């Protein structure tokens, strides 16, 4: 057996031993199963409103149209889509790393060997041979011409490259969930601002009605003063209340402008009037609201799903960092035309081929690798805690919104009764004042109480819709 066969046997044995080591490839740690409560409030529903499309939850066509526009034009959604494209590009790169890298090469060089060098003496001696004649003689300087293909292929014997691809794929999925999270928040923000706008409109209508009532009160008190039944102080007090209510009207008008502009910003457009539907007092809440069970929350809520994907990717990164300590096997074959004279480069005798296999193991840079492993492990633990936090936050938000819906419903019922009583009291105060059985202060107090109660009822109505929207977002609704 000659020495060339021995070399190939040695290389083959080395390759076989390396490939046999793939049995100990590092597997990422599995994603832990997080324990959740059996229900949110002691009553378990089979499904929750988070599974409903926003078009079936929100019945106002103006609101649905605003959401549809935002999903197309919102800049945050467009940014999230570009993050997905970036993650897909990284996944494509990780896929390419598993395949040989083949380059088409056209190279030219020239060397002038010194007389007292191995190449110089060897070429000189070769040119004196009787077997070397004509264009076979080696010139000095010696050109080196190559045209062909060269490749480099790292064999994935430890699963390192496949794990990198797996981590990249999980980050693609995480970026998709990030986009879903943006959409969920966008739907909730538009709905919240829309109902806030309806509430501002209702407040403005109530304030203007009270301004008319207070103007008539001013006229009445002025007549009473002329008749000598009240003093100038009464006229001043009633006028002051009217001025205060007018100032409140200006504040609400500014709130409407700011809310409209916030909505326009989410719609990706410059300020323009926002079309509205019926008053918030006429808008109906769902008769019953279902939340499902916390286990469904983990499967639906985008931020939890994103945190889970990030955790999976981080665990894979740890496996990759461990594999960095092991030797890597790289093959570098080539095939092409190689000659030292241009005239013979296309001659079939100029065909050259070869392959180089290298097994490289880290020796002096292990501190760097240990640092990289420690960093990957820390990021994995951080991702695990972020995953836990996302679940805890999600369950807490659902419970808050469910309780808010129930409590605000009771508050609204009581405030509705309060408004009815105070309106009757204001009418009674006006009648008694006209008959000189009540003072102007009692009239002012009654009117102010009605205004405050009506505004409070509108705020509670808005809080009910806000709680519904928060529950929908907390349950992961709106992105489908």
């Amino acid at each position: 057996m000659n020495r060339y066969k021995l070399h190939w046997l040695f290389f083959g044995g080395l390759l076989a031993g390396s490939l046999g080591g793939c049995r100990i490839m590092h597997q990422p740690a599995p994603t832990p199963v997080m324990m959740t409560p059996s229900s949110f409030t002691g009553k378990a529903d089979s499904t929750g409103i988070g599974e409903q499309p926003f078009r079936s939850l929100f019945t106002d066509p103006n609101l649905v149209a605003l959401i549809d526009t935002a999903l197309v034009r919102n800049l945050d959604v467009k940014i999230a889509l570009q993050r997905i494209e970036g993650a897909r590009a990284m996944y494509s790169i990780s896929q390419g790393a598993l395949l040989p890298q083949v380059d088409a090469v056209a190279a030219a060089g020239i060397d002038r060997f010194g007389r007292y060098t191995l190449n110089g003496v060897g070429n000189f001696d070769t040119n004196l041979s009787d077997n070397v004649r004509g264009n076979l003689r080696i010139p000095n300087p010696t050109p080196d011409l190559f045209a062909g293909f060269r490749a480099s292929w790292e064999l994935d014997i430890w699963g390192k490259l496949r794990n990198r691809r797996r981590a990249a794929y999980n980050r693609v999925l995480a970026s998709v969930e990030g986009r879903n999270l943006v959409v969920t928040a966008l739907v909730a923000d538009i709905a919240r601002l829309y109902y806030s706008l309806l509430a501002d409109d209702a407040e403005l209508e109530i304030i203007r009605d009270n301004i008319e009532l207070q103007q008539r009160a001013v006229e009445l008190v002025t007549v009473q003063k002329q008749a000598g039944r009240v003093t100038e102080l009464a006229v001043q007090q009633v006028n002051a209340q009217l001025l205060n209510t007018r100032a409140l009207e200006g504040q609400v008008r500014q709130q409407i402008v700011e809310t409209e502009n916030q909505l326009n910003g989410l719609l990706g457009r410059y300020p323009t009037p926002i079309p509205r539907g019926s008053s918030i007092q006429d808008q109906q809440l769902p008769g019953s609201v279902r939340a499902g069970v916390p286990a469904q929350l983990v499967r639906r809520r985008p931020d939890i799903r994103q945190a889970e994907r990030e955790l999976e990717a981080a665990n894979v990164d740890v496996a990759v960092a461990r594999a960095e300590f092991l030797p890597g096997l790289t093959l570098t074959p080539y095939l092409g035309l190689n000659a030292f004279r241009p005239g013979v480069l296309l001659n079939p005798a100029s065909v050259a081929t070869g392959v180089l296999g290298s097994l490289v193991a880290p020796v002096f840079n292990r501190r760097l690798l240990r640092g990289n492993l420690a960093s990957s492990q820390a990021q994995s633990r951080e991702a695990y805690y972020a995953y836990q936090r996302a679940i805890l936050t999600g369950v807490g938000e659902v419970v808050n919104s469910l309780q808010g819906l129930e409590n605000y419903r009771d508050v609204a019922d009581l405030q509705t009764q309060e408004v009815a009583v105070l309106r009757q009291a204001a009418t009674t105060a006006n009648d008694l004042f006209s008959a000189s059985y009540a003072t102007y202060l009692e009239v002012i107090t009654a009117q102010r109480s009605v205004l405050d109660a009506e505004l409070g009822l509108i705020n509670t109505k808005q809080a009910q819709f806000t709680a519904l929207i928060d529950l929908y977002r907390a349950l992961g609704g709106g992105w489908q």
Side-chain angles (χ1 to χ4, degrees):
M1 185 179 293
N2 58 36
R3 59 191 183 94
Y4 297 105
K5 291 184 178 179
L6 288 174
H7 289 165
W8 281 109
L9 284 175
F10 172 75
F11 180 74
L14 183 63
L15 176 60
S18 299
L19 292 175
C22 67
R23 297 179 181 176
I24 60 169
M25 65 178 292
H26 292 284
Q27 294 291 343
T31 302
V33 177
M34 299 297 297
M35 300 301 297
T36 57
S38 58
S39 66
F40 290 108
T41 57
K43 178 183 178 182
D45 298 316
S46 57
T47 59
I49 63 170
E51 298 180 359
Q52 291 183 241
F54 66 84
R55 290 178 180 83
S56 63
L57 180 66
F58 303 123
T59 57
D60 191 322
N62 293 282
L63 173 57
V64 172
L66 291 175
I67 295 174
D68 286 334
T69 302
L71 293 178
V72 175
R73 304 186 58 177
N74 182 263
L75 296 179
D76 289 332
V77 173
K78 293 182 178 181
I79 291 172
L81 290 174
Q82 293 309 307
R83 291 198 185 104
I84 295 175
E85 292 302 318
R88 285 175 177 168
M90 295 304 298
Y91 176 64
S92 179
I93 292 173
S94 67
Q95 280 185 307
L98 286 165
L99 302 174
Q101 178 182 341
V102 182
D103 299 316
V105 179
I110 188 168
D111 292 301
R112 184 187 185 282
F113 299 107
R115 184 172 182 178
Y116 301 104
T117 62
L118 179 63
N119 286 328
V121 174
N123 292 342
F124 175 78
D125 184 64
T126 299
N127 286 338
L128 296 178
S129 171
D130 294 336
N131 296 324
V132 177
R133 294 186 303 274
N135 58 12
L136 293 178
R137 291 186 180 275
I138 302 173
N140 190 20
T142 306
D144 184 14
L145 307 174
F146 180 85
F149 300 94
R150 287 178 180 165
S152 177
W153 186 18
E154 181 181 356
L155 300 181
D156 191 24
I157 57 178
W158 313 115
K160 177 177 64 177
L161 300 180
R162 290 193 295 275
N163 278 334
R164 283 179 180 168
R165 181 182 62 179
R166 180 176 173 183
Y169 179 70
N170 276 295
R171 290 192 167 93
V172 171
L173 299 180
S175 67
V176 172
E177 297 301 339
R179 180 261 179 194
N180 294 339
L181 179 61
V182 171
V183 171
T184 296
L186 177 63
V187 170
D189 287 342
I190 290 178
R192 177 178 55 80
L193 289 172
Y194 181 77
Y195 285 112
S196 176
L197 197 56
L198 293 183
D200 290 339
D201 290 342
E203 288 184 4
L204 190 61
E205 183 179 355
I206 290 171
I207 290 171
R208 286 173 175 171
D209 290 343
N210 275 269
I211 287 175
E212 293 181 4
L213 292 175
Q214 290 169 12
Q215 286 174 337
R216 288 198 292 270
V218 170
E219 295 170 358
L220 177 62
V221 171
T222 301
V223 171
Q224 294 276 15
K225 182 205 169 193
Q226 292 172 351
R229 299 176 62 182
V230 297
T231 64
E232 178 64 21
L233 178 61
V235 176
Q236 292 173 348
Q237 290 281 1
V238 176
N239 268 313
Q241 177 177 268
L242 175 61
L243 293 172
N244 179 271
T245 306
R246 284 177 173 171
L248 186 59
E249 179 190 12
Q251 294 175 1
V252 174
R253 286 202 306 268
Q254 179 60 26
Q255 290 176 10
I256 291 174
V257 171
E258 293 176 357
T259 304
E260 283 188 322
N261 287 339
Q262 289 182 53
L263 270 170
N264 283 314
L266 293 177
L267 297 175
R269 67 189 186 189
Y270 293 108
T272 186
I274 299 294
R276 271 95 96 179
S278 58
S279 170
I280 194 171
Q281 295 169 312
D282 300 326
Q283 298 277 346
Q284 298 297 321
L285 288 163
S288 61
V289 176
R290 296 171 298 174
V293 296
Q296 294 172 336
L297 181 74
V298 176
R299 295 193 298 268
R300 284 199 51 82
R301 186 163 158 141
D303 60 336
I304 296 177
R305 291 161 59 93
Q306 183 182 25
E308 182 180 10
R309 294 299 185 182
E310 293 288 357
L311 174 58
E312 291 177 2
N315 287 340
V316 175
D317 286 341
V318 173
V320 172
R322 293 185 185 278
E324 294 284 357
F325 288 89
L326 302 174
L329 177 61
T330 303
L331 300 180
T332 52
Y334 69 90
L335 172 66
L337 301 172
N338 194 196
F340 53 69
R341 293 185 189 279
V344 299
L345 183 61
L346 299 180
N347 193 306
S350 297
V351 174
T353 182
V355 62
L356 174 65
S358 59
L359 192 64
V360 181
V363 177
F364 294 108
N365 61 339
R366 296 180 71 85
R367 177 176 294 182
L368 172 65
L369 299 180
R370 283 195 295 269
N372 182 48
L373 175 60
S375 175
S376 299
Q377 289 172 332
Q379 292 175 4
S380 176
R381 289 190 292 269
E382 179 184 350
Y384 172 68
Y385 296 137
Y387 181 46
Q388 282 186 313
R389 182 182 61 190
I391 295 176
L392 289 173
T393 300
V395 174
E397 289 178 351
V398 171
V399 172
N400 287 341
S401 300
L402 281 173
Q403 294 296 328
L405 277 172
E406 181 179 348
N407 292 330
Y408 284 129
R409 184 179 289 110
D410 295 339
V411 172
D413 291 340
L414 294 173
Q415 286 182 327
T416 300
Q417 299 176 41
E418 179 189 11
V419 168
V421 171
L422 289 175
R423 282 175 179 170
Q424 184 62 40
T427 301
T428 302
N430 286 330
D431 294 340
L432 292 175
F433 181 74
S434 299
S436 301
Y437 287 107
T439 66
Y440 67 90
L441 288 177
E442 291 174 316
V443 174
I444 293 173
T445 301
Q447 291 178 345
R448 172 56 64 180
S449 297
V450 171
L451 177 59
D452 291 342
E454 289 178 334
L455 294 180
L457 178 59
I458 293 299
N459 289 333
T460 300
K461 187 76 172 180
Q462 179 186 351
Q464 285 182 288
F465 280 100
T466 299
L468 174 66
I469 294 164
D470 288 343
L471 177 62
Y472 188 55
R473 181 192 58 79
L475 291 172
W479 60 264
Q480 62 271 46

